[in-house]
Amino acid sequence: MPNDQNACLTLPSGFCFDYANFYGEGKVTAADIAALAERIEAAHAAVEYLRRTGEVRGHLSKDGLPEKVLFPQLPYIKEGNLNSPTSIARLKAFGQSLRYKVDAVVSFGIGGSYLGNKVLFDVHCGEFWNYKLVEARSGYPKLYFSGNNIDPRRTQDLIAHLAAEAKAAQGGRNEKYKVTLIVISKSGSTIDTMATFMVVYEALKQQAPLIDVDVVAVTDPAEGAGETLLGRLAREQGWPMFSVPDGVGGRFSVFSEVGLITAACIGFDIDAFLAGARAMDEACRTGDIWRNPALLNAVLKFIAAEKYGRNIEVFMPYGDYLKSVAEWYVQLLAESLGKRYDREGREVFYGRTPIVAVGTTDMHAQTQQHQDGKKDKVVQFVKIAEWEGDPVIPDAFPGEAKLAAIAGITMGQALDAARAANAEALAGDGRFNATFVLPRLNAFHLGELLYLLALSVAYEGELANVDAFDQPGVEAYKRIMGVKLGSLKKQFNR
């Protein structure tokens, strides 16, 4: 058990969970954790059983049938697993087939079929990928996201942009401007994704021969009676298919072909990403919470909510390209733990409300509320210890004392000084916060972070006695929306 001054769990990779501002006197205490010992032991045993069997007590699919939960299998590449040497090789071959041949990829998906993919794109590519020359992208295509909203203006803007790009590229490397549309939907009936995909698909086909359009489907691979709408379309149209695997909810799917297809399109290191997830999974096999960062994270946040009323979680990475990690985490936390009923059917209304914030940006927007508002929050920071390329702030105006005072330090040092000041100010007023420290921002450490968060919600679901793998609240609006769309269709056809 650590003391208050040494509350940092560091893995052999250098990944660190610094919980000094979350555990100790005036925070979550050793006595709080000791009182929960039996429940913690049971939660760990349940997750170990999940790892071995894929079974979660009481978990049913949205159709009310028993369903395995297989996301813990994803970091392990072996024959018979969801990620096999064959499937990974096929993904990589697909990525290579795009290089210097396809000009643009448009990825259509929503929820986990968008959020995880956007994380991989942002971390690997950054904001200016699509402005780079093809050589600077190592031949990989430009990549755009759509289908994550039914937005008429942005959809039309995307179509117009691709048409303009095609005209500007005439006489270039390819005779035609080649666009690959990747449509991601387990069923093929995801309204947001399919509506946008169909609009873009038809509009780009009308740009022939200027634009050449291919489609790749990522869907349930079942055939026969279990074949999905998108699976049938893909077979009829001759589109290549990748898999949305059974037993992996969308919020966990970044480690599957759903997310890895984006990785393949941009040259992201798939092997290192899964190796990071695997290293985190192996680190979290122990039932000792002081050596298991996912379990410790879950225990601290569960106690903070249940005993201390901290029912909001602000996820605040320090770095622009990590904002999408916070957005991905919002879905993970909200869908996994926002539950009306426990496993015995009792109304519990469990779960923290997740909030996206980015440092230093939101220190000038949200921190006033974090520091002086209700004490109902935990704040989770993410720090990059060493940036690849870290400019020194120059003494550009030596006559200005306030500007000269920050000259000579790096931007990364200034960024972390801001985070540390924020953390210290919050802690000084009894406001719980913790920091995940990634040694560098790369595929391996990103895999560690995302997998830790995924495993944490599995542990917390057990602590709270709720099913972390269903989402019945989502189905409620879908039923209503279906009726409303049917009414619109009838009105339109009159």
Side-chain angles (χ1 to χ4, degrees):
M1 183 182 297
N3 58 47
D4 293 6
Q5 287 74 42
N6 188 31
C8 188
L9 199 172
T10 302
L11 301 182
S13 68
F15 184 103
C16 170
F17 178 33
D18 182 348
Y19 55 95
N21 293 334
F22 212 138
Y23 169 78
E25 186 178 351
K27 295 161 274 193
V28 175
T29 67
D32 292 333
I33 293 174
L36 209 64
E38 288 187 10
R39 196 181 294 194
I40 293 170
E41 184 178 352
H44 179 67
V47 172
E48 284 299 293
Y49 186 74
L50 161 62
R51 281 189 174 103
R52 292 194 306 273
T53 67
E55 295 176 10
V56 174
R57 180 169 62 90
H59 174 67
L60 302 174
S61 72
K62 67 180 180 182
D63 300 316
L65 300 174
E67 178 184 56
K68 287 196 172 185
V69 173
L70 300 177
F71 87 86
Q73 182 193 107
L74 292 171
Y76 298 90
I77 305 171
K78 64 180 184 180
E79 292 299 342
N81 275 10
L82 296 175
N83 286 328
S84 68
T86 302
S87 70
I88 296 298
R90 183 168 177 255
L91 279 165
K92 293 177 180 177
F94 170 69
Q96 290 298 316
S97 75
L98 303 176
R99 295 181 69 197
Y100 298 105
K101 295 176 183 176
V102 171
D103 296 284
V105 166
V106 184
S107 176
F108 295 86
I110 195 168
S113 300
Y114 162 69
L115 292 164
N117 301 54
K118 187 64 163 53
V119 169
L120 302 187
F121 178 83
D122 285 355
V123 168
H124 182 73
C125 301
E127 182 179 352
F128 303 104
W129 175 265
N130 290 344
Y131 300 100
K132 293 179 179 180
L133 297 176
V134 66
E135 290 77 13
R137 302 193 309 269
S138 300
Y140 288 101
K142 298 179 179 181
L143 193 141
Y144 303 90
F145 291 96
S146 188
N148 53 306
N149 199 3
I150 317 173
D151 186 316
R153 177 176 174 179
R154 187 181 183 279
T155 303
Q156 290 178 98
D157 285 352
L158 174 61
I159 293 164
H161 173 73
L162 291 172
E165 288 268 292
K167 288 178 183 177
Q170 281 185 301
R173 184 182 68 253
N174 299 325
E175 293 181 8
K176 297 179 181 179
Y177 190 81
K178 295 188 176 180
V179 179
T180 295
L181 308 181
I182 300 176
V183 56
I184 308 172
S185 172
K186 186 174 179 67
S187 65
S189 59
T190 310
I191 293 167
D192 326 66
T193 298
M194 296 306 294
T196 312
F197 163 68
M198 291 190 290
V199 169
V200 175
Y201 176 62
E202 284 297 313
L204 294 186
K205 284 206 306 179
Q206 291 172 17
Q207 295 285 333
L210 184 62
I211 295 179
D212 186 21
V213 183
D214 291 321
V215 178
V216 173
V218 185
T219 189
D220 188 327
E223 299 185 41
E227 188 173 51
T228 66
L229 185 159
L230 184 54
R232 176 167 46 79
L233 271 177
R235 295 184 207 285
E236 291 173 354
Q237 300 291 329
W239 299 336
M241 275 198 295
F242 290 87
S243 175
V244 177
D246 287 335
V248 179
R251 53 196 181 271
F252 302 94
S253 66
V254 66
F255 303 104
S256 75
E257 291 185 10
V258 172
L260 299 182
I261 194 165
T262 291
C265 290
I266 57 179
F268 181 83
D269 193 336
I270 293 172
D271 292 326
F273 179 62
L274 293 178
R278 189 163 60 249
M280 183 58 71
D281 185 64
E282 289 165 354
C284 295
R285 292 291 177 118
T286 175
D288 180 353
I289 69 166
W290 307 112
R291 294 190 295 121
N292 181 332
L295 180 56
L296 178 58
N297 181 54
V299 168
L300 291 173
K301 289 175 180 172
F302 175 76
I303 294 171
E306 290 298 277
K307 182 172 181 179
Y308 297 98
R310 311 302 168 102
N311 292 315
I312 295 173
E313 181 170 351
V314 180
F315 197 88
M316 192 171 189
Y318 272 66
D320 288 346
Y321 295 155
L322 294 171
K323 181 178 183 181
S324 53
V325 175
E327 293 169 336
W328 171 85
Y329 181 62
V330 162
Q331 184 201 16
L332 176 70
L333 187 67
E335 288 193 342
S336 298
L337 298 179
K339 298 296 160 68
R340 178 185 296 263
Y341 300 107
D342 69 9
R343 287 193 172 106
E344 281 67 54
R346 297 179 293 241
E347 280 194 338
V348 291
F349 297 108
Y350 186 76
R352 292 180 301 287
T353 300
I355 303 289
V356 173
V358 175
T360 60
T361 302
D362 287 309
M363 292 174 70
H364 298 262
Q366 295 186 29
T367 292
Q368 173 61 38
Q369 169 59 235
H370 303 167
Q371 186 70 47
D372 284 351
K374 289 185 177 181
K375 287 189 176 181
D376 56 359
K377 303 167 195 68
V378 297
V379 182
Q380 179 67 69
F381 299 115
V382 179
K383 165 187 172 177
I384 307 301
E386 182 182 337
W387 291 91
E388 183 180 353
D390 191 2
V392 175
I393 301 169
D395 193 7
F397 306 99
E400 298 293 338
K402 288 185 178 180
L403 299 180
I406 61 171
I409 63 174
T410 70
M411 295 184 74
Q413 289 170 332
L415 181 68
D416 193 53
R419 180 206 58 80
N422 194 0
E424 185 176 332
L426 290 167
D429 194 37
R431 296 172 186 269
F432 301 170
N433 65 88
T435 302
F436 294 127
V437 183
L438 281 62
R440 286 163 297 281
L441 184 55
N442 61 25
F444 181 90
H445 295 306
L446 180 67
E448 286 184 300
L449 175 64
L450 299 190
Y451 192 82
L452 180 153
L453 295 169
L455 200 57
S456 288
V457 301
Y459 281 126
E460 191 172 346
E462 295 301 325
L463 293 170
N465 192 32
V466 299
D467 186 347
F469 304 102
D470 66 358
Q471 51 189 65
V474 174
E475 302 307 317
Y477 89 80
K478 286 183 177 180
R479 288 190 294 270
I480 297 169
M481 188 175 178
V483 173
K484 290 184 177 295
L485 288 172
S487 298
L488 285 173
K489 178 85 170 177
K490 290 177 182 178
Q491 293 174 26
F492 185 77
N493 290 334
R494 282 177 184 170

